[in-house]
Amino acid sequence: EGSDDERKHKKLLEAISSMGSRKRKKQNERSEASVQVSEFFVNAEGTGEKVNLSDLLGTVEKTSGASNKTKKQLRNLQSSKETLELPLNKQQTEKIQRGIAYEKTAAEVSCWRNIILQNQKAEQMVFPLNQESPGPKRVEQVVAGWKVQTPLEQEIFRLLHINSQPVDDPVLTPVEEQSLKAMSLEEAKIRRAELQKARALQSYYEAKAKREKKIKSKKYHKVQRKAKCKDFLKQFDEMVKTNPEGALEELKKMELSRMEERMSLKHQNSGKWAKSKAIMAKYDDSARKAMQEQLQMNKDLTQKIVVPSDDEHESNEEGLETIPDFVNDSEPVIDSVNPWMRGQLTHEEPEVSCVTTEDVQTAEEENEEEELVGEFERKRKLRQADEEDLIPTEEEQEEEDVSEFNTLFRLMRSEKTLEGSNQTREGLNTPGQEDEEGLLNEGQIRVRNIEDLEVLGEFVDPQPIAEPSLPRTAAVEATSEPPYKKKREIDLKEVLTKEAKAVKVPFLPTVVDEEERDEQISIIKEAFAGDDVISDFIKDKSKLEAAGRPEVVDLTLPGWGEWGGVGLKPSRWKRKRFRIKTAPPPPRQDQKLPDVIISENRNASVASHQVSQLPFPFQNTAQFESSIRTPIGPTWNTQSVVKNMTKPKVITKMGAIIEPMVKEDFIKNKTTTPGGKGPAIMLGENKRAKEDGAHCDTHKTKHHT
Amino acid sequence: HQSAYESDNIKVLCRNPDDYVRETTRDIQRVPRNYDPTLHPFEVPREYTRALNATKLERVFAKPFVASLDGHRDGISCITKHAKSLSTVISGACDGEVKLWNLPRQECLRTVQAHEGFVRGICSRFCGTSFFTVGDDKTIKQWNLEAPGYGVREEPINTILGKAVFTGIDHHQRESTFVTCGQTVDIWDEQRSSPIRSFSWGVDSFSCVRYNPVETELLASCASDRSIVLYDTRESAPLRKVIMQLRSNTLCWNPMEAYYFTCANEDYNLYTYDIRHLDVPVTVHMDHVSAVLDVDYSPTGREFVSASFDKTIRIFPKDKGHSREVYHTKRMQHVICVRWSADNKYVLSGSDEMNIRLWKANASEKLGLLSTREKAAAHYNKKLIEKFQHHPQVRRIARHRHLPGDILKQKREQREMKEARRRREQNVRKHSKPGSVPLLTEKEKHVAAVVE
């Protein structure tokens, strides 16, 4: 039985073991080729072993395709015995990466430095930043949301789109706007200042020209003309040297004008005016002169133009002689300065050229004027369109304005340079100084009304009553008048005579008869019969002075070290040794003011209102005092000054969300392309298509609304 | 006879009407004024009196509390502003409820049961169409800002299941990516259900992560190992880490100055850092008497508001070491979150006792539309106070604040402790080898290390 059991057991075991083995076999069955599946399974030969260089080398030698160079390199590798260094461990690599990334970010963030400093220094900040300017908007901004409907409109806007032409004439063309966008804020500001300055100058010149045009004085215009002529001559001379082509052009113009003159009868003394003058000429000297002038003009204009070169000198002179003489006998020259009045043809060369250029000058002037007028017209339109333009039209102001713009402009420049120069580390304030500054007095007293505030003083008085010997220089008298600075010598008697007058005035009504006045005086005299105010005052003062004088302290002990008794005095030596004199105090402030007593005692009631220490940002008392002395209220200043002095540091717009700074608005990358190339106005379908493209983009929505 | 009489004896006062008659009735009446300084003496004393009065009035009118929004059934855990609407605010509570509020009407517009457990963070999408919430149930949910129609269930637009609890969320300023923090800092695309990038640097949990609103690729996070870590989404690794003495709870970037941020620390202080010089904070802001839990910058970047466990809110100028204002009420408990409204006028605080409170950012400012003269007077008064701010009476009144007794007590205690510590350090220095105990400034004390 036992053996049977054993057999059965064995059989069972076998069965179990066979089951297990079958299972394992099933598990190991895999279809894909893998190296590390199982130790029991079939593997390719040599898997898991390292590939030796020699194995590679053998095959390379056999293959014909491999170049000799690679073979050589492989052979060299085989021969070298050096091992490669281990790569850095993970921690160290990460640390290095972090370090580099941090440096990069810190540098990137530092680009805000200038802007932050500027904002910290700014006298006033207006939030939200980059606000659209108030006032009327340009048409294209208003029209932006409008949809084109009729075919005519579509046609019009299609045309406008093609040229990217703004609808109204705006201040800036699209190109200019784009270039402005590409600039940073400060650059834009500088540019704006430049533009403003240019505009101011222009309007100034415009006004000047207008003013001059209005002047009726002929003499003035004559002088002006002459000056212009001179200028032109100079210019022409220079032109000959520097720009001969330009000079030739000018000459041609002159020639043309000469031809015109010769064709016309303009200055031939044949007009209506000339005839009327001719009648008068017999009697009137000036009429004669005027006629002469006209003739002279004609002569001058028809004069052949001289080409100013040395070679043709001779021939020119000959030419001069050939010119017919229209005026035979000229008037005695009255105006020696005026070349028109010479009346003779014996001109030197420059004179001639001067005369000839004159007409050209006028012609040219006309051209220029036309141009200018056109230009001005255009600019004026621009200015009207510009809502922010602040240039006044009054002529008196213009010069001021120009200078103002100049200073503004300079200021901005200097600011810009300044920012670059100061590279100190900002923001690190010392704790010691500001600690005391910022502390709130926190207590358990609730303040509900003014009375509470008054009571507050008794509880929390931070000002301990200081000893009177505190140096006065530190304390600033807010309530007392500044001490006299002039050290005038005033005679006592002089003061006394004045005093009598001073008493009289306030008591007397202004309209009083002589008798009444006398009566009044006698009454007053009677009333104050016993009082001698003046002598009292003098006594008081001398008393005070005496009190202020240093006292001598006598420490002598009679009888100590020598004989003492009735009739015996301490010795001279002893008296000298033991009488102590204190140093005299500084001279009294009212020492040289006979009619004033200045009390130098510290007044406790005033002291609680006085500043006992120099506050932090100030360097000396004078600075602080001056800051206190200038009043800022409307009682002492004009409205504009008050407004300027009391303007708050931060202005926020009611109900507006203040967004954080946007990098693109403040820091311009050089790589960013300036704005879209689309037209200034975007209408209807175009716009919406763009919006759909940008998924919930805040910026765009902001611009629409 | 008459003419002779006129010419000889009567002198007629004659004025040119142009000097005093208005051209139109809309013109301002011309008031002749003589600015001769001798006619207006004592300008300094008079202005001083005006300044003193202005200061007093400022304190009397200082009533900063505007409204309280109640409705949550648990402590407020987070608040966020709507990106496009000033009047809308979203708040999350510790019971997983999210509420939308209308501020001018002071009422709740909508209530959403967003999560199970805490709502850890909310952020509004930059376009103002939807908002994201993260909670203790390991999910990120995106919700529509418009309420569903009548009878329609509140369903999130999108739900993302995460592997671990998220503790904070912030959205990119312009792009459709957002960042969450928890065990790692993850950057997500709105369209994908797995993070497009994960940052971790040997720490197990983060409490706060914020995008820089100006340099929009920069990130900063506060971790539980007392560190603040900076990231750049364009880089493969985090940038740098500052380890402080105690943990920072939250941080906020300055929206106008790209490289400054301020963190609210457990050691009762706030620290403003310049990311270019992380070894020393730029300013240490101290005044709170308990851990600071939240901080938010004003949109102008000039000031920030902080919420503290000591039941107060304080407003600090960004470069000053001490607060300019402290707000508290009897009923306000530990303030957990605080936000400054986008128009720079209000401050919102959410606290433990289930209320959201609306405060004025300038306590004595008159709200609403002001006439030109009112405005001018306000500006003048402000300038006067500024001019005479160093005078003891003005300073005393301007700086007086009422504080509850227990906070005052704590404050005194801490001052004593600080003094004792200083004395102790002095003594140690006195009795040790010269140079062995270095002299550290207040700023240097709080930074333990900067890890590259």
Side-chain angles (χ1 to χ4, degrees):
Chain A
E1 269 186 45
S3 65
D4 195 40
D5 272 0
E6 248 175 45
R7 196 176 49 82
K8 269 183 183 172
H9 185 69
K10 240 177 201 175
K11 217 174 185 179
L12 188 71
L13 279 178
E14 267 177 13
I16 288 167
S17 67
S18 70
M19 270 169 73
S21 69
R22 204 165 60 222
K23 249 187 190 172
R24 198 173 285 161
K25 262 184 185 175
K26 255 187 186 170
Q27 231 177 11
N28 282 337
E29 246 172 68
R30 286 181 69 126
S31 56
E32 56 193 314
S34 174
V35 178
Q36 288 160 345
V37 175
S38 162
E39 62 213 279
F40 302 110
F41 218 69
V42 192
N43 279 338
E45 203 180 324
T47 48
E49 286 174 18
K50 273 186 180 175
V51 178
N52 285 324
L53 194 59
S54 55
D55 302 340
L56 288 175
L57 217 58
T59 51
V60 165
E61 293 290 355
K62 278 166 202 163
T63 48
S64 55
S67 63
N68 284 329
K69 207 177 171 186
T70 10
K71 285 174 192 170
K72 209 175 178 184
Q73 277 175 345
L74 279 171
R75 249 177 260 132
N76 283 344
L77 259 178
Q78 201 179 18
S79 59
S80 68
K81 291 274 161 52
E82 288 170 20
T83 52
L84 287 173
E85 277 181 47
L86 270 176
L88 281 177
N89 61 16
K90 204 182 162 194
Q91 279 81 5
Q92 276 173 319
T93 355
E94 276 182 354
K95 191 178 174 183
I96 290 167
Q97 276 177 354
R98 283 196 297 262
I100 291 166
Y102 176 76
E103 296 294 328
K104 211 169 131 191
T105 315
E108 198 185 316
V109 160
S110 298
C111 69
W112 285 98
R113 208 177 137 272
N114 277 347
I115 290 163
I116 289 172
L117 276 184
Q118 202 178 314
N119 287 350
Q120 279 171 354
K121 275 186 217 152
E123 278 184 15
Q124 190 174 46
M125 290 281 287
V126 182
F127 293 100
L129 300 170
N130 285 347
Q131 274 186 70
E132 280 171 31
S133 57
K137 281 177 183 169
R138 281 193 254 136
V139 173
E140 57 266 37
Q141 287 169 355
V142 177
V143 151
W146 180 54
K147 203 185 169 190
V148 180
Q149 284 170 337
T150 63
L152 177 66
E153 284 171 349
Q154 276 174 0
E155 181 73 7
I156 290 167
F157 281 110
R158 197 175 52 75
L159 283 174
L160 288 173
H161 279 287
I162 289 166
N163 302 331
S164 78
Q165 178 69 37
V167 181
D168 189 41
D169 61 350
V171 189
L172 302 168
T173 62
V175 181
E176 277 176 332
E177 232 164 34
Q178 277 173 15
S179 68
L180 264 184
K181 267 183 199 163
M183 281 187 261
S184 75
L185 188 67
E186 23 176 323
E187 275 173 19
K189 272 182 182 167
I190 289 170
R191 171 103 180 103
R192 216 176 94 88
E194 261 172 12
L195 279 175
Q196 270 187 342
K197 189 188 164 189
R199 269 185 215 131
L201 276 173
Q202 198 146 38
S203 71
Y204 168 58
Y205 284 125
E206 194 180 342
K208 197 178 164 192
K210 233 186 228 171
R211 205 168 54 222
E212 277 171 3
K213 219 178 171 187
K214 264 188 189 170
I215 295 171
K216 281 178 183 165
S217 156
K218 278 184 183 169
K219 181 152 190 184
Y220 171 79
H221 283 294
K222 216 181 269 174
V223 172
Q224 286 293 101
R225 218 181 302 139
K226 232 184 283 171
K228 259 185 201 168
C229 173
K230 244 184 204 169
D231 264 6
F232 181 76
L233 245 183
K234 257 187 205 167
Q235 271 181 19
F236 187 74
D237 280 349
E238 267 187 27
M239 222 187 216
V240 167
K241 281 171 201 161
T242 55
N243 184 12
E245 283 165 28
L248 257 180
E249 285 278 302
E250 295 290 318
L251 278 176
K252 267 181 196 165
K253 271 187 200 164
M254 286 179 207
E255 183 63 31
L256 199 75
S257 71
R258 179 174 164 265
M259 275 152 75
E260 273 170 5
E261 176 68 19
R262 287 182 66 186
M263 281 194 293
S264 76
L265 293 168
K266 210 175 178 187
H267 298 114
Q268 304 279 11
N269 272 0
S270 58
K272 227 185 224 172
W273 173 84
K275 275 171 190 162
S276 71
K277 285 278 162 189
I279 298 164
M280 294 296 293
K282 215 172 186 181
Y283 315 104
D284 195 353
D285 217 28
S286 62
R288 217 178 306 151
K289 217 172 101 188
M291 283 175 72
Q292 285 289 341
E293 254 176 59
Q294 208 190 23
L295 283 176
Q296 179 68 37
M297 180 94 84
N298 179 41
K299 202 160 49 171
D300 290 341
L301 285 173
T302 48
Q303 195 140 35
K304 195 138 196 191
I305 297 146
V306 190
V307 179
S309 62
D310 296 331
D311 303 350
E312 297 170 28
H313 200 269
E314 291 290 315
S315 59
N316 273 340
E317 274 189 350
E318 276 177 358
L320 278 177
E321 278 166 9
T322 55
I323 286 165
D325 200 357
F326 285 100
V327 183
N328 297 322
D329 47 351
S330 63
E331 287 276 329
V333 180
I334 301 159
D335 194 355
S336 60
V337 188
N338 195 346
W340 306 105
M341 298 306 292
R342 294 269 164 99
Q344 278 166 356
L345 287 175
T346 52
H347 295 301
E348 303 90 45
E349 257 176 295
E351 286 281 342
V352 170
S353 62
C354 154
V355 168
T356 47
T357 49
E358 162 62 31
D359 187 45
V360 178
Q361 171 72 25
T362 51
E364 202 186 42
E365 245 177 54
E366 277 174 17
N367 281 346
E368 257 180 24
E369 238 172 44
E370 271 172 21
E371 264 179 28
L372 262 177
V373 165
E375 180 87 334
F376 287 156
E377 203 66 18
R378 205 164 52 79
K379 297 285 173 180
R380 202 181 305 123
K381 263 190 198 164
L382 290 191
R383 245 178 304 122
Q384 277 164 359
D386 192 351
E387 60 261 37
E388 287 173 342
D389 207 322
L390 300 165
I391 301 158
T393 47
E394 283 168 84
E395 288 172 19
E396 290 85 8
Q397 282 196 345
E398 272 153 11
E399 260 164 311
E400 280 179 24
D401 285 351
V402 171
S403 65
E404 203 181 289
F405 282 121
N406 272 329
T407 49
L408 187 92
F409 188 56
R410 234 177 290 133
L411 222 143
M412 296 194 68
R413 285 247 181 242
S414 67
E415 255 182 29
K416 212 186 169 190
T417 49
L418 222 156
E419 276 157 30
S421 66
N422 86 51
Q423 295 276 339
T424 52
R425 200 172 155 188
E426 75 287 350
L428 294 172
N429 46 1
T430 50
Q433 275 167 327
E434 49 92 57
D435 264 8
E436 275 304 307
E437 285 300 305
L439 274 173
L440 295 173
N441 300 329
E442 285 154 353
Q444 276 190 296
I445 307 141
R446 237 180 239 282
V447 174
R448 290 200 179 83
N449 50 31
I450 296 275
E451 284 75 50
D452 290 345
L453 287 167
E454 299 296 346
V455 173
L456 200 69
E458 275 106 69
F459 281 99
V460 223
D461 203 345
Q463 194 80 24
I465 292 161
E467 57 272 57
S469 65
L470 199 86
R472 269 189 92 81
T473 45
V476 177
E477 282 84 14
T479 47
S480 66
E481 285 176 274
Y484 291 94
K485 287 205 172 145
K486 283 182 192 170
K487 303 258 173 180
R488 282 179 298 148
E489 289 283 350
I490 298 173
D491 192 3
L492 197 62
K493 279 168 200 165
E494 193 190 323
V495 176
L496 293 184
T497 54
K498 271 184 183 170
E499 215 267 345
K501 253 190 238 164
V503 172
K504 245 187 244 170
V505 179
F507 284 109
L508 289 175
T510 43
V511 203
V512 190
D513 291 343
E514 284 293 302
E515 294 167 20
E516 275 184 45
R517 194 189 291 166
D518 288 343
E519 229 173 89
Q520 196 85 27
I521 290 168
S522 64
I523 288 169
I524 290 167
K525 270 183 183 172
E526 218 174 297
F528 296 98
D531 293 359
D532 192 355
V533 187
I534 298 162
S535 63
D536 280 356
F537 177 82
I538 294 168
K539 261 184 216 165
D540 281 351
K541 191 170 179 183
S542 61
K543 221 185 265 175
L544 281 172
E545 275 172 357
R549 248 173 246 138
E551 283 176 19
V552 179
V553 184
D554 195 355
L555 296 173
T556 49
L557 293 171
W560 188 261
E562 57 191 11
W563 287 108
V566 183
L568 281 175
K569 273 185 184 173
S571 68
R572 216 168 141 206
W573 168 83
K574 207 173 174 183
R575 262 183 291 158
K576 206 178 165 189
R577 174 83 172 69
F578 289 104
R579 279 165 65 94
I580 294 158
K581 278 179 193 169
T582 48
R588 288 179 65 87
Q589 283 188 326
D590 55 5
Q591 197 180 25
K592 289 176 179 175
L593 302 168
D595 51 347
V596 178
I597 296 176
I598 298 175
S599 164
E600 292 180 36
N601 294 334
R602 189 179 164 86
N603 189 344
S605 65
V606 177
S608 69
H609 291 273
Q610 286 177 336
V611 179
S612 57
Q613 277 180 332
L614 189 65
F616 160 56
F618 300 100
Q619 312 245 305
N620 51 36
T621 43
Q623 245 178 35
F624 179 61
E625 277 173 38
S626 73
S627 84
I628 292 294
R629 207 178 297 128
T630 22
I632 50 173
T635 321
W636 298 276
N637 298 303
T638 57
Q639 202 183 1
S640 57
V641 172
V642 172
K643 202 176 169 190
N644 198 29
M645 284 174 110
T646 60
K647 66 180 179 186
K649 275 190 177 162
V650 173
I651 290 181
T652 54
K653 201 179 157 196
M654 203 173 171
I657 291 177
I658 302 170
E659 301 272 0
M661 274 186 179
V662 178
K663 193 171 187 185
E664 286 74 39
D665 292 354
F666 290 90
I667 292 165
K668 302 285 175 187
N669 279 339
K670 277 154 201 164
T671 51
T672 51
T673 50
K677 279 172 190 168
I681 47 167
M682 296 276 263
L683 294 165
E685 319 94 334
N686 268 349
K687 190 114 201 180
R688 205 159 309 125
K690 270 210 165 181
E691 241 181 88
D692 290 338
H695 170 70
C696 291
D697 200 340
T698 36
H699 292 280
K700 286 195 177 146
T701 49
K702 193 172 80 185
H703 282 297
H704 297 300
T705 46
Chain B
H1 175 75
Q2 206 177 3
S3 63
Y5 189 80
E6 267 180 9
S7 62
D8 289 344
N9 296 336
I10 298 179
K11 285 176 184 166
V12 184
L13 270 180
C14 181
R15 291 199 290 165
N16 184 2
D18 287 349
D19 291 339
Y20 57 90
V21 176
R22 293 183 290 177
E23 277 181 12
T24 67
T25 47
R26 293 200 164 187
D27 282 355
I28 308 163
Q29 288 281 12
R30 193 174 284 181
V31 183
R33 278 200 60 82
N34 192 344
Y35 292 105
D36 182 4
T38 53
L39 297 178
H40 308 286
F42 302 116
E43 56 264 19
V44 176
R46 283 167 80 186
E47 284 219 314
Y48 173 74
T49 317
R50 284 180 196 178
L52 203 58
N53 287 340
T55 323
K56 286 175 183 175
L57 286 179
E58 194 208 8
R59 284 332 304 156
V60 168
F61 291 132
K63 306 259 183 263
F65 182 69
V66 179
S68 165
L69 311 174
D70 57 335
H72 272 298
R73 287 171 295 184
D74 208 337
I76 318 291
S77 59
C78 46
I79 303 181
T80 193
K81 298 171 272 187
H82 190 284
K84 291 285 158 209
S85 155
L86 279 176
S87 58
T88 313
V89 157
I90 310 160
S91 66
C94 295
D95 59 352
E97 209 174 50
V98 170
K99 275 179 184 283
L100 252 83
W101 302 90
N102 185 317
L103 289 181
R105 284 190 283 156
Q106 298 170 22
E107 64 179 21
C108 176
L109 298 176
R110 210 172 129 200
T111 310
V112 184
Q113 185 62 43
H115 294 279
E116 287 163 24
F118 279 49
V119 181
R120 289 288 177 185
I122 304 182
C123 72
S124 161
R125 200 173 185 277
F126 58 89
C127 60
T129 53
S130 62
F131 64 95
F132 295 84
T133 58
V134 290
D136 270 356
D137 54 358
K138 304 182 187 177
T139 53
I140 307 170
K141 288 181 181 174
Q142 187 181 8
W143 304 85
N144 203 333
L145 260 164
E146 277 175 27
Y150 182 73
V152 183
R153 267 191 69 200
E154 285 275 9
E155 289 282 351
I157 301 171
N158 197 5
T159 308
I160 300 168
L161 278 168
K163 284 174 192 144
V165 175
F166 298 106
T167 53
I169 186 169
D170 196 21
H171 202 284
H172 191 278
Q173 201 69 26
R174 279 184 284 280
E175 285 164 20
S176 63
T177 55
F178 61 90
V179 61
T180 60
C181 64
Q183 288 188 358
T184 55
V185 170
D186 299 327
I187 296 165
W188 304 73
D189 193 301
E190 281 176 12
Q191 310 300 326
R192 298 183 187 205
S193 59
S194 59
I196 50 174
R197 172 75 72 78
S198 280
F199 289 112
S200 63
W201 186 356
V203 275
D204 56 350
S205 79
F206 294 88
S207 60
C208 167
V209 65
R210 289 284 189 102
Y211 264 112
N212 187 332
V214 186
E215 285 284 341
T216 46
E217 303 306 321
L218 270 182
L219 284 168
S221 69
C222 302
S224 62
D225 69 340
R226 304 173 296 151
S227 66
I228 297 166
V229 192
L230 294 179
Y231 310 90
D232 191 329
T233 51
R234 295 161 295 190
E235 305 292 344
S236 57
L239 299 181
R240 195 157 282 197
K241 178 153 79 170
V242 200
I243 300 176
M244 304 189 66
Q245 296 294 353
L246 282 179
R247 190 168 74 101
S248 295
N249 286 315
T250 43
L251 59 81
C252 186
W253 292 93
N254 190 329
M256 290 292 157
E257 300 180 354
Y259 44 74
Y260 290 119
F261 69 84
T262 301
C263 62
N265 205 282
E266 282 283 322
D267 65 358
Y268 315 167
N269 295 338
L270 293 114
Y271 300 93
T272 299
Y273 277 99
D274 181 340
I275 59 167
R276 301 166 303 165
H277 313 284
L278 284 169
D279 45 348
V280 176
V282 178
T283 320
V284 182
H285 311 274
M286 31 176 78
D287 257 352
H288 279 297
V289 290
S290 192
V292 192
L293 299 183
D294 200 8
V295 59
D296 192 36
Y297 261 96
S298 80
T300 59
R302 302 262 164 151
E303 291 172 324
F304 60 82
V305 60
S306 65
S308 166
F309 198 74
D310 64 8
K311 306 173 189 176
T312 61
I313 302 168
R314 278 179 189 270
I315 296 174
F316 292 86
K318 67 153 201 273
D319 49 359
K320 290 275 155 55
H322 289 279
S323 57
R324 75 156 170 85
E325 198 66 76
V326 53
Y327 293 160
H328 56 83
T329 59
K330 229 176 204 171
R331 295 183 179 186
M332 187 160 73
Q333 295 303 310
H334 314 300
V335 195
I336 292 168
C337 47
V338 71
R339 285 289 175 274
W340 200 306
S341 76
D343 60 348
N344 197 33
K345 285 268 189 291
Y346 300 95
V347 167
L348 284 152
S349 69
S351 43
D352 249 359
E353 86 312 322
M354 305 177 261
N355 277 323
I356 298 171
R357 288 193 170 75
L358 187 63
W359 308 85
K360 286 195 271 184
N362 284 314
S364 58
E365 191 184 30
K366 193 182 173 194
L367 296 177
L369 213 56
L370 298 184
S371 70
T372 324
R373 291 178 64 190
E374 273 179 314
K375 244 186 244 170
H379 291 166
Y380 178 46
N381 283 343
K382 211 171 172 191
K383 197 76 189 177
L384 275 179
I385 297 172
E386 193 192 317
K387 183 181 168 186
F388 289 96
Q389 63 185 334
H390 303 295
H391 288 255
Q393 296 292 313
V394 174
R395 189 174 52 191
R396 175 178 61 77
I397 295 166
R399 285 187 186 175
H400 176 79
R401 297 289 181 283
H402 167 252
L403 264 193
D406 49 341
I407 297 174
L408 206 65
K409 212 176 104 191
Q410 264 177 300
K411 207 171 160 120
R412 282 197 201 114
E413 233 168 59
Q414 270 164 32
R415 196 186 303 150
E416 246 165 64
M417 280 158 70
K418 201 177 166 190
E419 179 58 24
R421 235 175 273 142
R422 192 189 63 80
R423 216 168 34 233
R424 183 188 150 81
E425 197 190 342
Q426 231 172 26
N427 289 341
V428 168
R429 188 171 296 118
K430 213 188 287 172
H431 293 99
S432 51
K433 197 175 151 195
S436 61
V437 183
L439 202 68
L440 285 177
T441 60
E442 188 61 39
K443 286 174 192 168
E444 289 162 343
K445 274 177 199 167
H446 303 282
V447 179
V450 179
V451 186
E452 281 186 17

